[in-house]
């Protein structure tokens, strides 16, 4: 026998597919949503559909954004000769929060992981190499310090080295395996300042 009727079970099932949400939490959220005033529930549903339909990768740096180009790429005061390479849009946001970086970014949308079958062609590497044809003086690799992040950093550095463009890696001190987005701004800024040339 089903514990809850069809539509309730369906909602719980969908919520339980979200990362970090177990069945118990999914049930709690489902009943919370069901008890919401209708306009709030609709606003939540609309926000999900609208984000899904309208968010895409910036044509320049590949971070996720609403417009054709993200706010950083549109900002004429940013130094386009320095590109910081990060794994995802959340990492970009973490560095933006420090308020101390004035270059631009390149978002890989992932990291190389032989274990998960993610190769160099599965992340936005070709797009990064293409950008180096412009006037670029330094590429700062700020991938996570996980195995995948380090593998990716090594791969990128080997790829860029022959071009003569300076390649640097943010300082360790960022905890191993730590997701960049959970690290406080001061630590992130120090990691950036203490970067070493590869
Ligand atoms: Zn952009």
């Amino acid at each position: 026998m089903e514990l809850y009727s069809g539509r309730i079970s369906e909602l719980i099932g969908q919520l339980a597919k979200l990362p970090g949400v177990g069945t118990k939490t999914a049930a709690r959220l489902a009943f919370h949503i069901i008890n919401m005033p209708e306009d709030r529930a609709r606003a939540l549903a609309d926000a999900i559909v609208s984000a899904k339909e309208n968010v895409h990768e910036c044509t320049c740096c590949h971070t996720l954004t609403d417009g054709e180009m993200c706010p950083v790429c549109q900002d004429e005061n940013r130094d386009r000769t320095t590109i910081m390479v990060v794994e995802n849009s959340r990492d970009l946001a973490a560095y933006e929060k420090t308020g101390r970086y004035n270059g631009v970014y390149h978002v890989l949308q992932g990291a190389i992981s032989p274990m998960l079958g993610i190769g160099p062609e599965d992340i936005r590497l070709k797009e990064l190499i293409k950008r180096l044809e412009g006037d670029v003086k330094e590429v700062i690799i700020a991938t996570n310090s996980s195995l995948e992040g380090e593998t990716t950093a090594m791969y990128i550095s080997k790829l860029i080295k022959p071009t003569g463009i300076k390649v640097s890696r943010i300082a360790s001190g960022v905890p191993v395996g730590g997701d960049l987005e959970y690290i406080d701004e001061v630590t992130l800024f120090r990691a950036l300042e203490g970067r070493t040339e590869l």
Side-chain angles (χ1 to χ4, degrees):
M1 196 189 88
E2 287 255 338
L3 279 175
Y4 302 112
S5 73
R7 289 192 173 89
I8 302 172
S9 289
E10 168 66 14
L11 182 56
I12 295 172
Q14 291 298 335
L15 290 167
K17 287 179 190 165
L18 296 172
V21 179
T23 321
K24 263 191 191 163
T25 305
R28 199 165 50 80
L29 289 172
F31 283 105
H32 181 79
I33 291 168
I34 290 163
N35 289 319
M36 273 179 181
E38 191 172 335
D39 57 335
R40 274 197 53 211
R42 200 167 288 282
L44 173 63
D46 286 349
I48 293 171
V49 174
S50 164
K52 195 60 210 157
E53 282 175 355
N54 297 302
V55 173
H56 47 250
E57 289 178 19
C58 168
T59 50
C60 181
C61 74
H62 294 273
T63 193
L64 294 174
T65 187
D66 280 5
E68 177 155 328
M69 264 211 235
C70 74
V72 173
C73 289
Q74 280 185 49
D75 185 347
E76 290 184 3
N77 296 316
R78 304 295 288 236
D79 169 17
R80 271 149 232 282
T81 65
T82 307
I83 299 180
M84 189 196 293
V85 179
V86 293
E87 291 183 23
N88 55 52
S89 297
R90 285 166 299 152
D91 293 344
L92 183 155
Y95 272 103
E96 275 305 279
K97 236 173 108 189
T98 68
R100 312 282 281 274
Y101 175 68
N102 193 44
V104 290
Y105 297 91
H106 187 84
V107 180
L108 294 170
Q109 295 296 349
I112 298 171
S113 170
M115 242 171 61
L116 296 173
I118 301 169
E121 64 289 342
D122 298 315
I123 57 175
R124 307 285 176 266
L125 262 182
K126 273 197 312 288
E127 293 81 353
L128 172 64
I129 302 305
K130 185 105 188 79
R131 288 180 75 185
L132 303 182
E133 290 167 8
D135 181 22
V136 177
K137 292 195 176 74
E138 182 179 1
V139 174
I140 303 169
I141 306 177
T143 51
N144 291 337
S145 53
S146 59
L147 178 62
E148 291 79 14
E150 292 298 346
T151 307
T152 309
M154 212 120 74
Y155 189 91
I156 295 174
S157 108
K158 276 192 190 142
L159 214 58
I160 298 180
K161 265 281 159 84
T163 65
I165 295 169
K166 183 177 169 190
V167 189
S168 55
R169 176 88 172 107
I170 54 163
S172 49
V174 176
V176 172
D179 254 353
L180 274 183
E181 60 176 317
Y182 296 122
I183 297 160
D184 70 87
E185 288 115 78
V186 178
T187 309
L188 265 190
F189 180 65
R190 283 209 192 109
L192 178 60
E193 285 287 278
R195 67 185 181 270
T196 45
E197 195 165 345
L198 292 175

